[in-house]
Amino acid sequence: VEIAEDAGWEEILEGIHRQETDTADHPQEPQVTEMQEVQETEMQEPPQEGLISQEAGMPYCGNDEEMYLEFLKAYYEQGQEYIKKLPLLYDEENWQDYGIVAHAVKSTSLTIGAAGLSEQAKQQELAAKENRIEELKEHWEEFYLNYQGVLKEAAQMLDLEEQAEVPKEEKATEEQPSEEFLAGCRVLLTQIEGYEMSEALEQADKLLSVRAEKMLEQVREFVNDFDYDSAERCLQEWLVKWEADGK
């Protein structure tokens, strides 16, 4: 599939879709000798350290490195949403929407050169669509961990790793929260565990009025999105950190 240099994200995905359709309608079955098969296997499986091959992704953006990095950044930002959404859909056994997200991961991963993840996402999409749930669950963890790895590698390629570490350094210099504030956070945790959305939002606002805490803003956002598991995990980790420091 030829991609114009000024092609946008949607046009690229459409081109990939056409390529997949053409391949499905006109499968090729070339006759090769055993020696050719061995040679082709050796050529197709070079030593590879990373999960993302920029070289493989470049043709999808007209071999324009600046455009590739723009797509990679868009992929990373979109991935922050998908990496949260996938486990929620999995736990809810919402296989229809799970398949839709897996399809998006499949197509976008291919455009940045993450072919391995793209193939895993394709298998997850098909398993969800064809109701092969046991097969989907068997490969779920490997797929999800690989997706996390690809996003981490994308962050490194975009020089976002340092930015991600900044909050940790800032925490180290923060003042120890008061016992009263920590007690309020424990109340919030109990409300989250009990799925008490309105009470939890009110408690989070009350705590934020006392102490501007980035963690609480994130917890509040999770609760507002009905992502109670992420809210609970985020708050628990923060409480463990500060309670350990206070001992």
Side-chain angles (χ1 to χ4, degrees):
V1 177
E2 294 184 1
I3 305 295
E5 292 188 6
D6 59 348
W9 187 259
E10 292 182 358
E11 289 141 311
I12 288 174
L13 294 183
E14 184 179 346
I16 296 170
H17 177 69
R18 288 200 305 271
Q19 184 182 36
E20 292 174 345
T21 303
D22 291 343
T23 302
D25 292 341
H26 307 287
Q28 298 180 355
E29 298 181 359
Q31 300 297 319
V32 296
T33 65
E34 183 176 348
M35 179 60 72
Q36 285 175 317
E37 288 180 348
V38 172
Q39 291 174 340
E40 287 180 4
T41 301
E42 291 174 349
M43 292 175 63
Q44 292 170 2
E45 299 179 1
Q48 186 174 353
E49 296 181 2
L51 298 171
I52 301 174
S53 168
Q54 180 172 342
E55 182 180 356
M58 288 290 284
Y60 293 104
C61 14
N63 290 312
D64 185 321
E65 185 174 3
E66 185 176 347
M67 184 182 295
Y68 173 84
L69 293 175
E70 288 179 6
F71 284 174
L72 186 64
K73 184 178 180 181
Y75 176 88
Y76 176 80
E77 292 173 349
Q78 188 181 54
Q80 302 312 300
E81 175 188 348
Y82 288 162
I83 204 71
K84 296 174 185 175
K85 188 175 289 186
L86 280 168
L88 290 176
L89 296 173
Y90 181 91
D91 290 341
E92 294 169 1
E93 298 190 344
N94 183 348
W95 305 125
Q96 181 177 355
D97 289 345
Y98 179 93
I100 292 172
V101 176
H103 173 81
V105 174
K106 173 194 73 174
S107 300
T108 54
S109 296
L110 194 60
T111 65
I112 65 160
L117 176 62
S118 178
E119 179 61 29
Q120 286 180 314
K122 177 182 178 181
Q123 297 307 318
Q124 289 285 297
E125 176 195 1
L126 292 176
K129 187 181 296 184
E130 297 169 6
N131 204 34
R132 291 184 279 111
I133 306 307
E134 289 304 316
E135 180 181 333
L136 183 153
K137 290 183 176 180
E138 181 181 352
H139 300 287
W140 149 253
E141 185 175 355
E142 181 184 0
F143 162 60
Y144 188 72
L145 290 175
N146 196 27
Y147 192 20
Q148 288 180 317
V150 167
L151 290 175
K152 181 178 180 180
E153 192 168 310
Q156 293 171 341
M157 292 171 70
L158 293 164
D159 293 327
L160 298 177
E161 186 84 337
E162 247 180 60
Q163 297 176 22
E165 295 296 326
V166 169
K168 295 181 181 178
E169 295 173 1
E170 290 176 350
K171 281 184 180 179
T173 61
E174 288 177 352
E175 293 182 5
Q176 172 75 27
S178 67
E179 182 55 42
E180 182 180 359
F181 187 83
L182 291 174
C185 288
R186 294 187 203 101
V187 170
L188 174 59
L189 181 60
T190 301
Q191 292 168 336
I192 293 171
E193 291 171 339
Y195 303 103
E196 302 171 15
M197 180 180 182
S198 58
E199 291 85 350
L201 291 174
E202 184 178 347
Q203 180 69 4
D205 288 338
K206 180 180 176 181
L207 291 167
L208 282 167
S209 68
V210 175
R211 178 184 174 105
E213 187 67 53
K214 188 174 181 179
M215 174 278 304
L216 282 174
E217 294 176 1
Q218 189 172 12
V219 167
R220 193 189 190 288
E221 184 177 341
F222 283 141
V223 173
N224 198 47
D225 291 339
F226 301 99
D227 188 355
Y228 294 103
D229 289 340
S230 296
E232 181 181 344
R233 182 167 57 251
C234 182
L235 183 53
Q236 279 181 334
E237 290 176 356
W238 186 88
L239 279 169
V240 168
K241 190 266 181 194
W242 283 115
E243 289 175 344
D245 288 351
K247 291 181 180 178

